[in-house]
PDB file of all heavy atoms in Angstrom:
ATOM      1  N   ALA I 280     -34.206 -12.683 242.533  1.00  0.00           N
ATOM      2  CA  ALA I 280     -35.182 -13.731 242.845  1.00  0.00           C
ATOM      3  C   ALA I 280     -35.767 -13.528 244.238  1.00  0.00           C
ATOM      4  O   ALA I 280     -36.976 -13.737 244.458  1.00  0.00           O
ATOM      5  CB  ALA I 280     -34.520 -15.105 242.743  1.00  0.00           C
ATOM      6  N   ILE I 281     -34.944 -13.094 245.175  1.00  0.00           N
ATOM      7  CA  ILE I 281     -35.419 -12.854 246.542  1.00  0.00           C
ATOM      8  C   ILE I 281     -36.379 -11.670 246.569  1.00  0.00           C
ATOM      9  O   ILE I 281     -37.423 -11.712 247.231  1.00  0.00           O
ATOM     10  CB  ILE I 281     -34.222 -12.632 247.490  1.00  0.00           C
ATOM     11  CG1 ILE I 281     -33.435 -13.938 247.636  1.00  0.00           C
ATOM     12  CG2 ILE I 281     -34.689 -12.128 248.846  1.00  0.00           C
ATOM     13  CD1 ILE I 281     -32.135 -13.792 248.386  1.00  0.00           C
ATOM     14  N   VAL I 282     -36.041 -10.614 245.827  1.00  0.00           N
ATOM     15  CA  VAL I 282     -36.925  -9.447 245.759  1.00  0.00           C
ATOM     16  C   VAL I 282     -38.274  -9.835 245.169  1.00  0.00           C
ATOM     17  O   VAL I 282     -39.334  -9.467 245.687  1.00  0.00           O
ATOM     18  CB  VAL I 282     -36.271  -8.313 244.937  1.00  0.00           C
ATOM     19  CG1 VAL I 282     -37.275  -7.192 244.676  1.00  0.00           C
ATOM     20  CG2 VAL I 282     -35.046  -7.766 245.666  1.00  0.00           C
ATOM     21  N   LEU I 283     -38.257 -10.583 244.062  1.00  0.00           N
ATOM     22  CA  LEU I 283     -39.502 -11.003 243.429  1.00  0.00           C
ATOM     23  C   LEU I 283     -40.296 -11.945 244.324  1.00  0.00           C
ATOM     24  O   LEU I 283     -41.527 -11.911 244.336  1.00  0.00           O
ATOM     25  CB  LEU I 283     -39.210 -11.674 242.086  1.00  0.00           C
ATOM     26  CG  LEU I 283     -38.710 -10.736 240.979  1.00  0.00           C
ATOM     27  CD1 LEU I 283     -38.354 -11.526 239.734  1.00  0.00           C
ATOM     28  CD2 LEU I 283     -39.778  -9.701 240.647  1.00  0.00           C
ATOM     29  N   SER I 284     -39.605 -12.778 245.078  1.00  0.00           N
ATOM     30  CA  SER I 284     -40.295 -13.666 246.023  1.00  0.00           C
ATOM     31  C   SER I 284     -41.013 -12.862 247.093  1.00  0.00           C
ATOM     32  O   SER I 284     -42.143 -13.194 247.489  1.00  0.00           O
ATOM     33  CB  SER I 284     -39.290 -14.622 246.673  1.00  0.00           C
ATOM     34  OG  SER I 284     -38.693 -15.468 245.710  1.00  0.00           O
ATOM     35  N   ALA I 285     -40.372 -11.788 247.559  1.00  0.00           N
ATOM     36  CA  ALA I 285     -41.017 -10.919 248.544  1.00  0.00           C
ATOM     37  C   ALA I 285     -42.248 -10.245 247.951  1.00  0.00           C
ATOM     38  O   ALA I 285     -43.281 -10.105 248.626  1.00  0.00           O
ATOM     39  CB  ALA I 285     -40.017  -9.874 249.047  1.00  0.00           C
ATOM     40  N   VAL I 286     -42.145  -9.822 246.666  1.00  0.00           N
ATOM     41  CA  VAL I 286     -43.295  -9.205 246.005  1.00  0.00           C
ATOM     42  C   VAL I 286     -44.436 -10.206 245.873  1.00  0.00           C
ATOM     43  O   VAL I 286     -45.608  -9.883 246.134  1.00  0.00           O
ATOM     44  CB  VAL I 286     -42.883  -8.669 244.616  1.00  0.00           C
ATOM     45  CG1 VAL I 286     -44.115  -8.238 243.821  1.00  0.00           C
ATOM     46  CG2 VAL I 286     -41.907  -7.506 244.759  1.00  0.00           C
ATOM     47  N   ILE I 287     -44.122 -11.447 245.477  1.00  0.00           N
ATOM     48  CA  ILE I 287     -45.147 -12.485 245.334  1.00  0.00           C
ATOM     49  C   ILE I 287     -45.812 -12.763 246.681  1.00  0.00           C
ATOM     50  O   ILE I 287     -47.038 -12.901 246.773  1.00  0.00           O
ATOM     51  CB  ILE I 287     -44.528 -13.768 244.759  1.00  0.00           C
ATOM     52  CG1 ILE I 287     -44.110 -13.540 243.300  1.00  0.00           C
ATOM     53  CG2 ILE I 287     -45.519 -14.935 244.849  1.00  0.00           C
ATOM     54  CD1 ILE I 287     -43.300 -14.671 242.718  1.00  0.00           C
ATOM     55  N   ALA I 288     -44.997 -12.818 247.743  1.00  0.00           N
ATOM     56  CA  ALA I 288     -45.552 -13.052 249.079  1.00  0.00           C
ATOM     57  C   ALA I 288     -46.511 -11.938 249.470  1.00  0.00           C
ATOM     58  O   ALA I 288     -47.593 -12.190 250.033  1.00  0.00           O
ATOM     59  CB  ALA I 288     -44.422 -13.158 250.097  1.00  0.00           C
ATOM     60  N   ALA I 289     -46.146 -10.696 249.154  1.00  0.00           N
ATOM     61  CA  ALA I 289     -47.027  -9.565 249.467  1.00  0.00           C
ATOM     62  C   ALA I 289     -48.337  -9.659 248.686  1.00  0.00           C
ATOM     63  O   ALA I 289     -49.420  -9.372 249.213  1.00  0.00           O
ATOM     64  CB  ALA I 289     -46.314  -8.250 249.165  1.00  0.00           C
ATOM     65  N   LEU I 290     -48.245 -10.075 247.415  1.00  0.00           N
ATOM     66  CA  LEU I 290     -49.450 -10.182 246.588  1.00  0.00           C
ATOM     67  C   LEU I 290     -50.328 -11.353 247.018  1.00  0.00           C
ATOM     68  O   LEU I 290     -51.552 -11.315 246.834  1.00  0.00           O
ATOM     69  CB  LEU I 290     -49.063 -10.320 245.117  1.00  0.00           C
ATOM     70  CG  LEU I 290     -48.470  -9.060 244.483  1.00  0.00           C
ATOM     71  CD1 LEU I 290     -47.983  -9.353 243.070  1.00  0.00           C
ATOM     72  CD2 LEU I 290     -49.496  -7.939 244.461  1.00  0.00           C
ATOM     73  N   LEU I 291     -49.722 -12.390 247.588  1.00  0.00           N
ATOM     74  CA  LEU I 291     -50.536 -13.492 248.117  1.00  0.00           C
ATOM     75  C   LEU I 291     -51.376 -13.016 249.297  1.00  0.00           C
ATOM     76  O   LEU I 291     -52.515 -13.458 249.490  1.00  0.00           O
ATOM     77  CB  LEU I 291     -49.628 -14.648 248.546  1.00  0.00           C
ATOM     78  CG  LEU I 291     -48.980 -15.451 247.410  1.00  0.00           C
ATOM     79  CD1 LEU I 291     -48.001 -16.466 247.977  1.00  0.00           C
ATOM     80  CD2 LEU I 291     -50.046 -16.151 246.563  1.00  0.00           C
ATOM     81  N   LEU I 292     -50.806 -12.101 250.092  1.00  0.00           N
ATOM     82  CA  LEU I 292     -51.533 -11.559 251.235  1.00  0.00           C
ATOM     83  C   LEU I 292     -52.529 -10.486 250.813  1.00  0.00           C
ATOM     84  O   LEU I 292     -53.606 -10.361 251.387  1.00  0.00           O
ATOM     85  CB  LEU I 292     -50.544 -10.983 252.257  1.00  0.00           C
ATOM     86  CG  LEU I 292     -49.597 -11.989 252.924  1.00  0.00           C
ATOM     87  CD1 LEU I 292     -48.585 -11.267 253.797  1.00  0.00           C
ATOM     88  CD2 LEU I 292     -50.392 -13.004 253.754  1.00  0.00           C
ATOM     89  N   ARG I 293     -52.142  -9.691 249.787  1.00  0.00           N
ATOM     90  CA  ARG I 293     -53.005  -8.615 249.292  1.00  0.00           C
ATOM     91  C   ARG I 293     -53.075  -8.712 247.768  1.00  0.00           C
ATOM     92  O   ARG I 293     -52.313  -8.037 247.068  1.00  0.00           O
ATOM     93  CB  ARG I 293     -52.483  -7.252 249.736  1.00  0.00           C
ATOM     94  CG  ARG I 293     -52.519  -7.042 251.250  1.00  0.00           C
ATOM     95  CD  ARG I 293     -52.073  -5.632 251.618  1.00  0.00           C
ATOM     96  NE  ARG I 293     -52.970  -4.617 251.103  1.00  0.00           N
ATOM     97  CZ  ARG I 293     -54.056  -4.176 251.726  1.00  0.00           C
ATOM     98  NH1 ARG I 293     -54.387  -4.686 252.905  1.00  0.00           N
ATOM     99  NH2 ARG I 293     -54.824  -3.244 251.205  1.00  0.00           N
TER     100      ARG I 293
END
Side-chain angles (χ1 to χ4, degrees):
I281 292 172
V282 171
L283 290 176
S284 297
V286 170
I287 291 171
L290 290 174
L291 288 174
L292 295 174
R293 295 184 64 87

